[in-house]
Amino acid sequence: LKVHTYMPSLYGPNQNKFSQQNDIQVSSIERFHEDLKNEIIKRLKDHASPRCVFVFFENSLKLTSFYECDEFQPFKTKARIVSEQLTFKEKEAEIVRAPQSGRITLLSK
């Protein structure tokens, strides 16, 4: 890489603010899937047009557990999975598709 180009954001200054009161939620193990589903619904509907949602999991086992749970069933057609089992090319293809409106992408570390 021999040339660097810097460009200001087309969207203006970052207006995201982190608030411990509003941005951290502690759930019991029994309610985790339900609470996560509700957060996905909230994020999809928070804007005039549907946004994409990225959900990161500690590992593939936890990702699969959520993907297979009853609470997530209505979203399966909108969801894609990116985990360590995918090849580099498969991961790359999923990441390119992930920002589509209304898309839910579940990822493992």
Side-chain angles (χ1 to χ4, degrees), residues 3-16:
V3 177
H4 294 274
T5 303
Y6 294 95
M7 182 174 151
S9 172
L10 298 172
Y11 305 104
N14 184 348
Q15 296 179 12
N16 293 331

Side-chain angles (χ1 to χ4, degrees), residues 93-105:
E94 290 300 333
I95 290 168
V96 167
R97 289 185 210 117
Q100 294 177 355
S101 178
R103 172 74 53 103
I104 301 166
T105 305

Side-chain angles (χ1 to χ4, degrees), residues 24-76:
I24 295 176
Q25 181 176 343
V26 178
S27 298
S28 66
I29 292 172
E30 297 81 23
R31 291 210 31 92
F32 178 72
H33 289 159
E34 179 72 27
D35 291 344
L36 188 51
K37 176 198 76 166
N38 291 337
E39 190 66 23
I40 290 170
I41 292 169
K42 177 182 161 191
R43 299 297 172 177
L44 286 172
K45 295 182 178 183
D46 254 0
H47 305 279
S49 62
R51 302 295 177 140
C52 61
V53 175
F54 294 87
V55 183
F56 290 87
F57 293 87
E58 187 176 349
N59 56 47
S60 291
L61 185 63
K62 291 181 180 183
L63 184 156
T64 303
S65 172
F66 180 66
Y67 184 78
E68 297 296 334
C69 75
D70 292 337
E71 290 84 352
F72 193 70
Q73 294 308 307
F75 303 106
K76 276 192 164 183

